[in-house]
Amino acid sequence: MESNQKSFIATLLQSSTARMVMVGILILVLLIPLELVKSLVRERKYRQEEVIGEINSKWGEKVFFYGPILKVPYTSYEKNTVYDKKLGTTVIERKAQQNVAYFFPETLKNISNVMTETKKRNNYESVVFTAEMEFEGKYVKPDFSSKNIPEEDIHWDKATILIRTTNLSSIKNGVSINLSGKSYSFEPIYEESSSNYAEYDEYNGHTGTYFVVSSLETSFFNLKEHFDNGNFNFSIKYDGSSSISIVPIGKITESTVKSNWKDPSFKGNFLPYQKEITNSGFSADWKVLHINRPFAQQSFGVLPSIEKYTFDVDFVIPVDEYQQNERASKYGFLVIGLTFLIFFLIQTISKVKIHIFQYTMIGLALIMFYTLLISITEHSSFSKAYLIASLMVILLISLYSVSILKNRKFPFFIGCSLSAVYGFIYVIIQLENYALLVGSIGLFAILAIVMYVSRKIEW
């Protein structure tokens, strides 16, 4: 009875079902070192982001531009009812208050020429640029009638023009505006606390990244001298990185951005109505009307917070090596599972015994692919690293399977199968818009092959 029980247990352990269960458990165990490899990839990616941040901070960071804004002070009066003890009655007392009105241009045109270059430090690189931005437009006479402010309370002789922007330290020219033939220089305004604005992503919400906005302002001038001709123009040159963002404050805003960067990303609240992208660069045009925006052409008392209503151009590497490594590691479970499935089917069909230890060695070799991939990528391109790492792992497993399977036919088949698997994963990584479609079709084809091969197996 006892020998029959032992015989039953031995038969059960040697069954295809038991081997399948053990291989499945091993795959789950191998997820632990696979997660450690993913953690290594994320760590190297964070290190890259830190180095890029250091490069950008020294060269120049995100460029944000909001202006030029006409600023006109005026006097308003607050009426209060007070009791006059001498007269023994209540009287109305007027208290003067100094306020400021802000007016945006009637038209605003911008042409920006952006020259990009790649800066490298150790194994990391960042895209930086030099942007030459030309602005022109026209102001109309400010209208205070909506607030019933009389002419004598408007201080035309103390008008100024204001610009809100980032990267004051990276501006490379003296900035002055030509207003109807007269030139007025901009100077930085000392602010006890510069405004911080959170970057916003339409898919992820607030990203947690903040940029500091400071102000440039002209000295006082008499705006009455410019009532008949409110045309203006000025230029500003930045060293920057990451992106350019412009708030379209003109009643009609037209903008053109040209660059030698061939992988732009257009974001923000307004997309270009026309764009041309080639291997030598891109050109994009925007036209924004005041009815397209949720803010008016003038503001009384407080400058409105409209920093998020921008059109943006991102100058970033679309899919860098660490993103590709991270995407590759996400398919680690699939690669391990398919490889083990190939060995399991060969073992079941050929009746060759493969020990669980041998499965473990094969699994560790598959995981080593990802450490090889990221280490070689840091000294080369992702494509070359992927080719070298995959060839090393395929060769190692194929040679190891010769000693396991005792012939050359099955190892050759395994080498071809692994080549197909790694090639399939590489294609999915390179695709963006069609990755899901190609991946789904590929997995369906693999499932069909497995079903066909295993149809006559006695489980």
Side-chain angles (χ1 to χ4, degrees), residues 327-384:
R327 290 179 64 185
S329 64
K330 290 179 180 179
Y331 294 103
F333 177 79
L334 177 63
V335 174
I336 294 172
L338 289 176
T339 305
F340 279 9
L341 179 61
I342 293 169
F343 275 91
F344 180 78
L345 291 175
I346 291 174
Q347 175 185 3
T348 305
I349 294 171
S350 65
K351 306 301 181 180
V352 176
K353 293 183 179 180
I354 302 178
H355 195 272
I356 195 66
F357 176 80
Q358 294 168 326
Y359 274 107
T360 304
M361 293 297 100
I362 294 168
L364 293 176
L366 294 171
I367 291 173
M368 279 297 299
F369 165 79
Y370 299 101
T371 58
L372 289 170
L373 179 61
I374 188 172
S375 59
I376 299 173
T377 298
E378 291 186 338
H379 300 278
S380 181
S381 67
F382 175 80
S383 298
K384 290 181 180 178

Side-chain angles (χ1 to χ4, degrees), residues 235-255:
S235 62
I236 187 167
K237 184 177 180 180
Y238 289 96
D239 281 345
S241 61
S242 300
S243 65
I244 293 177
S245 301
I246 299 175
V247 180
I249 65 170
K251 193 170 186 178
I252 300 176
T253 303
E254 296 178 273
S255 182

Side-chain angles (χ1 to χ4, degrees), residues 127-405:
V127 178
V128 299
F129 59 78
T130 298
E132 296 183 1
M133 305 173 72
E134 303 283 343
F135 291 88
E136 65 177 48
K138 182 180 180 179
Y139 288 114
V140 296
K141 181 181 176 180
D143 184 7
F144 285 83
S145 61
S146 62
K147 295 294 182 181
N148 296 320
I149 299 170
E151 183 78 12
E152 60 270 18
D153 289 334
I154 304 172
H155 307 300
W156 300 111
D157 58 334
K158 292 185 178 180
T160 60
I161 295 177
L162 181 70
I163 287 175
R164 300 280 286 160
T165 186
T166 56
N167 276 353
L168 294 186
S169 61
S170 67
I171 296 176
K172 297 305 177 184
N173 65 317
V175 185
S176 59
I177 187 169
N178 185 304
L179 180 60
S180 60
K182 290 189 177 182
S183 180
Y184 302 98
S185 297
F186 286 98
E187 299 293 338
I189 301 174
Y190 174 76
E191 298 173 309
E192 291 187 3
S193 59
S194 299
S195 301
N196 294 312
Y197 295 96
E199 289 186 345
Y200 186 83
D201 183 89
E202 59 180 323
Y203 297 108
N204 301 318
H206 290 288
T207 61
T209 303
Y210 290 82
F211 57 96
V212 179
V213 179
S214 303
S215 299
L216 296 173
E217 191 170 6
T218 65
S219 56
F220 294 141
F221 62 89
N222 192 339
L223 188 59
K224 286 185 177 181
E225 299 176 2
H226 306 284
F227 281 171
D228 295 332
N229 182 4
N231 294 324
F232 65 83
N233 63 79
F234 66 97
S235 62
I236 187 167
K237 184 177 180 180
Y238 289 96
D239 281 345
S241 61
S242 300
S243 65
I244 293 177
S245 301
I246 299 175
V247 180
I249 65 170
K251 193 170 186 178
I252 300 176
T253 303
E254 296 178 273
S255 182
T256 298
V257 178
K258 299 179 180 179
S259 176
N260 62 333
W261 186 246
K262 63 180 181 179
D263 293 307
S265 177
F266 303 106
K267 297 182 179 179
N269 287 264
F270 312 97
L271 296 178
Y273 72 89
Q274 181 174 291
K275 60 184 176 181
E276 181 181 359
I277 303 173
T278 65
N279 289 330
S280 58
F282 77 90
S283 176
D285 300 299
W286 288 261
K287 185 174 182 178
V288 182
L289 307 178
H290 73 290
I291 59 174
N292 304 140
R293 320 160 322 203
F295 57 89
Q297 284 298 111
Q298 65 277 326
S299 177
F300 293 87
V302 179
L303 185 65
S305 297
I306 56 175
E307 282 74 11
K308 68 179 181 179
Y309 300 108
T310 60
F311 54 86
D312 308 346
V313 184
D314 281 3
F315 299 85
V316 294
I317 300 173
V319 180
D320 64 20
E321 283 80 2
Y322 291 99
Q323 286 177 315
Q324 290 177 315
N325 271 271
E326 194 169 14
R327 290 179 64 185
S329 64
K330 290 179 180 179
Y331 294 103
F333 177 79
L334 177 63
V335 174
I336 294 172
L338 289 176
T339 305
F340 279 9
L341 179 61
I342 293 169
F343 275 91
F344 180 78
L345 291 175
I346 291 174
Q347 175 185 3
T348 305
I349 294 171
S350 65
K351 306 301 181 180
V352 176
K353 293 183 179 180
I354 302 178
H355 195 272
I356 195 66
F357 176 80
Q358 294 168 326
Y359 274 107
T360 304
M361 293 297 100
I362 294 168
L364 293 176
L366 294 171
I367 291 173
M368 279 297 299
F369 165 79
Y370 299 101
T371 58
L372 289 170
L373 179 61
I374 188 172
S375 59
I376 299 173
T377 298
E378 291 186 338
H379 300 278
S380 181
S381 67
F382 175 80
S383 298
K384 290 181 180 178
Y386 194 95
L387 177 63
I388 294 171
S390 58
L391 286 176
M392 291 174 66
V393 171
I394 291 170
L395 184 61
L396 176 63
I397 293 177
S398 298
L399 293 175
Y400 185 61
S401 62
V402 171
S403 62
I404 297 175
L405 303 175

